[in-house]
Amino acid sequence: HVQLVESGGGSVQAGGSLRLSCAASTYRANCMGWFRESPGKERQAVGHIGSDGSTDYARAVKDRFTVSKDNAKNILYLQMDSLKPEDSGMYFCAAVRSGERCPALYHGRPYWGQGTQVTVS
């Protein structure tokens, strides 16, 4: 059973920063990423990181958000800077299944965390 546990959400004023964490226990995925949902909108990709450390971001967050991973602790991070009200939503981390690569994060059946709420006012 793969368990992903997010933390670090909260309320912040526009222009502020937050850092989200996602602990993946003992499961090591080739690719992990972040998604977000807000009322009335479909789940959106935020960004991901591959096993080689390569990253990619949605256009809406590029240059403001940074995805990183502490491989020793097996924790995924999302550093969010210059936050805007439209960044508000429930943020989920995801991990591809064993043997899969990053495309499976978007087109497969990744494992999901339970989400953490971010509110920017």
Side-chain angles (χ1 to χ4, degrees):
H1 176 67
V2 174
Q3 191 171 22
L4 305 175
V5 181
E6 300 99 333
S7 60
S11 297
V12 65
Q13 290 189 335
S17 298
L18 278 175
R19 188 176 80 157
L20 307 184
S21 301
C22 173
S25 68
T26 59
Y27 179 67
R28 298 200 176 263
N30 289 328
C31 186
M32 296 184 71
W34 292 95
F35 293 76
R36 66 186 182 190
E37 282 183 1
S38 54
K41 294 185 179 179
E42 292 184 355
R43 187 171 293 189
Q44 301 176 317
V46 174
H48 70 255
I49 185 167
S51 57
D52 61 355
S54 60
T55 56
D56 198 13
Y57 299 92
R59 188 175 303 174
V61 306
K62 197 173 178 62
D63 299 326
R64 297 189 298 122
F65 290 12
T66 303
V67 178
S68 63
K69 189 165 181 282
D70 184 328
N71 289 317
K73 297 179 180 179
N74 207 22
I75 297 176
L76 178 74
Y77 298 102
L78 179 65
Q79 177 67 41
M80 304 185 292
D81 299 317
S82 302
L83 281 161
K84 304 175 181 180
E86 52 264 41
D87 293 320
S88 297
M90 186 70 79
Y91 282 70
F92 299 87
C93 75
V96 296
R97 294 178 182 257
S98 180
E100 293 179 340
R101 299 289 179 181
C102 286
L105 203 60
Y106 305 98
H107 305 296
R109 296 183 301 116
Y111 299 111
W112 293 99
Q114 83 289 349
T116 186
Q117 180 69 37
V118 171
T119 302
V120 185
S121 59

